[in-house]
Amino acid sequence: MIKNSYIQLIRKEDLNTDVCVSMMISMYFGIEMQSALQWSNEHRYTELIKAQVMIDQGKSEMLLAKLYSGTPIGMIIYTEADDKPVRRIDALIVSRRFRNNGIGKMLLRAAKGDKDLHTFAPSIAVDWYVKNGFRVLDKQSNGTIEMTTIPFHIDVGLNYLQLNYPLPVFDQVDLQILHNFKTLQ
């Protein structure tokens, strides 16, 4: 693990004022998901807007891993389930240069707290998640793999979890931005 690093909870006011936040969100939704899942520009932009709206509305939280110099090296975005002590990982990325140094594990531990975790991971990340306490539930039609840290006996052995998460509520500005982006395509 990189010793000169720390984790910062991102507040909604940081979304538009902290360039490190914008950089990490853009890296995840703009580059990593294109590479991992071949998301279209429109889909990546829509998911980016959703994540920002969820953070802005207090439905999701973002943790940013930084070096003490201020350099961002990773981030995780998660959303609490409405009805169970589970957090869904919506985005997790560590800058390539800093991978294999424990930053991802550090972000997972910070996001987990006293809750279990749930995610839909790209296939290239499944082994990493398994090494970090997740188990595979099911392959999804969009190419992701549903995974969780919920112990097998708790969900009665079924590979299907009933988890309810809050959804983003777009305001007129968000809807106009999405509409404008679609017309550019």
Side-chain angles (χ1 to χ4, degrees):
M1 174 140 40
I2 297 176
K3 294 183 193 288
N4 62 342
S5 62
Y6 66 98
I7 293 180
Q8 172 187 357
L9 174 65
I10 299 304
R11 301 164 311 193
K12 70 181 195 174
E13 53 269 18
D14 297 326
L15 283 173
N16 297 316
T17 59
D18 187 332
V19 71
C20 296
V21 171
S22 298
M23 185 176 85
M24 292 307 291
I25 288 176
S26 296
M27 186 184 333
Y28 178 80
F29 290 103
I31 298 170
E32 289 295 315
M33 288 301 93
Q34 166 56 27
S35 173
L37 297 172
Q38 288 74 49
W39 281 359
S40 68
N41 289 341
E42 181 181 334
H43 186 73
R44 290 183 320 208
Y45 190 74
T46 300
E47 292 301 313
L48 183 147
I49 294 293
K50 276 192 215 175
Q52 290 175 324
V53 166
M54 291 288 286
I55 295 166
D56 186 56
Q57 293 174 352
K59 296 176 182 178
S60 296
E61 289 192 343
M62 177 179 175
L63 302 175
L64 189 62
K66 289 181 168 181
L67 297 177
Y68 284 121
S69 65
T71 303
I73 56 176
M75 72 139 199
I76 191 166
I77 299 172
Y78 60 88
T79 304
E80 301 249 353
D82 286 333
D83 55 349
K84 292 187 173 75
V86 178
R87 291 179 173 153
R88 179 188 64 218
I89 298 171
D90 301 310
L92 172 60
I93 186 170
V94 174
S95 298
R96 290 189 191 278
R97 180 174 159 216
F98 295 98
R99 290 182 184 172
N100 300 312
N101 285 299
I103 302 302
K105 287 180 187 182
M106 181 175 71
L107 286 164
L108 273 181
R109 274 194 305 274
K112 187 176 187 322
D114 61 350
K115 314 264 173 139
D116 277 301
L117 297 172
H118 175 250
T119 195
F120 294 91
S123 59
I124 60 171
V126 169
D127 289 342
W128 183 86
Y129 277 104
V130 168
K131 286 178 189 172
N132 285 284
F134 284 75
R135 65 184 173 90
V136 173
L137 293 177
D138 196 16
K139 182 173 173 82
Q140 303 297 298
S141 61
N142 66 1
T144 62
I145 312 297
E146 184 177 14
M147 305 184 78
T148 189
T149 62
I150 298 171
F152 188 70
H153 67 278
I154 290 178
D155 59 38
V156 195
L158 298 175
N159 280 351
Y160 179 73
L161 295 176
Q162 284 283 63
L163 299 171
N164 298 308
Y165 295 100
L167 297 171
V169 177
F170 296 113
D171 63 18
Q172 282 306 112
V173 173
D174 299 321
L175 292 172
Q176 187 61 49
I177 290 170
L178 290 170
H179 174 74
N180 291 347
F181 189 78
K182 286 180 184 180
T183 58
L184 288 174
Q185 295 293 318

